[in-house]
Amino acid sequence: MSVHLAGLEVQGRSIGGLETCLEVPAWDFAFDLGRAAESAWSRSTILFTHAHVDHLGAVAQHCALRVRRRAAPPTYVVPRENAADFGELMDVWRRLDGSRLAHRLVVLEPGEEHRLGRGLVARAFRAPHRAPCQGYVIWRETEKLIEDFVHLPGAEIAARRGRGEVLTRTERVPELAFTGDTRADVFESAPELYQVRRLIVEATFLDDQVSVERSRSMGHVHLDELIERAERFENEAILL
C-alpha cells in the first residue's frame, strides 16, 4: 500500500492481528514493525507503539538486515513499560543468531520527545489499549524571526546575531500523528489529534458485526465512534 497524505507518502500494511508497519520514506522512519517488508530495512528509526507481536515481531529481522547490508545501526523507540523486556528479547536473539544486532534504544513515555532530524520531533502520547501503548505526534520545528526584527535589513540582522542577540523564536507545527492500537478515548486525552495536519488512526471494526461496546472491550476503535466525532476533525488528511 502506498498513499499520499497532503503530499506526504505513507507506505506499508496494517492488518489487525497480523501485521502493522507504516513507513514514511521521506522522513526515514516507520511506525511499528509487525513484519519486515523489503523496503522497511532501510528505515533508520522505528517508533514502536506497543509490544504485541503484530506490531513488534520483526524487529530482530530488521536489525539483522541492516547489519547484513552494512547500514548504520537502527534506532528503536519503545514505550518505557517495554524497555527491559525489549532488551532481553534482543539479548536472546543475539545468542540465537550469534551476532551483535547493534542498535540504539530510545525509551519514551507519554509527554517525552525524540528528535528525528530534518527539524522533526516525535512526541509520545498515551493510547488506551489492552496493553501499554502510546501513539506519536510528529512536529516540525522552524525558526521564525521575531516580529520586532522583521523590518531590519539583512546586514543589521547578521550583525546582531554576531553580537549574540536572540532574534528568532521556535515555531512548532503538528505534521503527522499515528495513534497505534487504541480506544477512541484517545481523542479526549490527546485533543491535538483533531488538529494535526495528517492523522493515521485505526478503524478495526466497521459495522454491526462487532458492536462498539465489544470493540472498546478489546481496546480498539469502531468506525461509528469516528463518525460520532466527525465534525471535530480539522485535519487536512486522515488515513484509517
Side-chain angles (χ1 to χ4, degrees):
M1 177 200 75
S2 178
V3 298
H4 284 81
L5 301 181
L8 181 68
E9 183 186 14
V10 176
Q11 62 186 42
R13 292 160 65 91
S14 184
I15 303 173
L18 295 177
E19 59 174 306
T20 291
C21 178
L22 297 175
E23 304 171 52
V24 185
W27 295 346
D28 191 29
F29 73 84
F31 296 113
D32 288 336
L33 203 56
R35 180 151 57 179
E38 175 62 23
S39 59
W41 78 268
S42 63
R43 310 303 166 212
S44 65
T45 299
I46 311 294
L47 302 171
F48 287 105
T49 60
H50 64 299
H52 282 162
V53 171
D54 56 322
H55 291 258
L56 188 140
V59 62
Q61 182 185 15
H62 176 265
C63 193
L65 276 172
R66 287 187 63 86
V67 170
R68 188 172 302 125
R69 297 181 181 184
R70 302 184 185 279
T75 295
Y76 297 135
V77 179
V78 303
R80 188 167 300 278
E81 295 94 336
N82 303 135
D85 290 335
F86 186 95
E88 289 184 27
L89 174 68
M90 296 304 286
D91 283 342
V92 169
W93 269 112
R94 287 188 185 99
R95 293 196 296 272
L96 291 171
D97 193 59
S99 64
R100 292 180 57 242
L101 294 178
H103 65 278
R104 176 190 178 207
L105 181 63
V106 175
V107 179
L108 291 188
E109 60 185 37
E112 295 183 334
E113 298 179 344
H114 171 66
R115 293 192 171 274
L116 297 165
R118 300 174 176 81
L120 301 171
V121 180
R123 184 179 180 88
F125 60 87
R126 176 63 65 203
H129 185 47
R130 292 185 298 112
C133 183
Q134 61 193 30
Y136 299 91
V137 176
I138 310 301
W139 297 81
R140 182 181 295 283
E141 287 188 345
T142 55
E143 292 297 315
K144 299 287 188 180
L145 202 62
I146 296 172
E147 287 75 5
D148 292 345
F149 306 118
V150 170
H151 67 285
L152 297 177
E156 184 172 348
I157 289 174
R160 288 182 176 231
R161 281 180 172 154
R163 294 195 295 269
E165 292 186 42
V166 177
L167 305 180
T168 60
R169 59 180 173 81
T170 301
E171 182 177 281
R172 279 189 166 189
V173 176
E175 291 282 357
L176 174 69
F178 176 55
T179 63
D181 284 358
T182 185
R183 295 195 306 269
D185 307 18
V186 71
F187 292 106
E188 282 60 63
S189 59
E192 64 269 27
L193 296 178
Y194 288 119
Q195 285 85 40
V196 65
R197 185 179 180 191
R198 307 168 183 91
L199 173 64
I200 304 175
V201 56
E202 71 146 299
T204 299
F205 301 107
L206 307 178
D207 54 31
D208 58 7
Q209 290 186 53
V210 174
S211 68
V212 170
E213 292 73 21
R214 176 63 176 156
S215 174
R216 289 181 57 80
S217 72
M218 292 185 284
H220 288 290
V221 173
H222 194 291
L223 183 62
D224 286 353
E225 296 176 284
L226 300 179
I227 293 171
E228 289 172 1
R229 295 165 169 81
E231 294 184 359
R232 301 183 64 182
F233 291 105
E234 300 176 15
N235 321 86
E236 186 174 340
I238 300 176
L239 175 62
L240 304 184

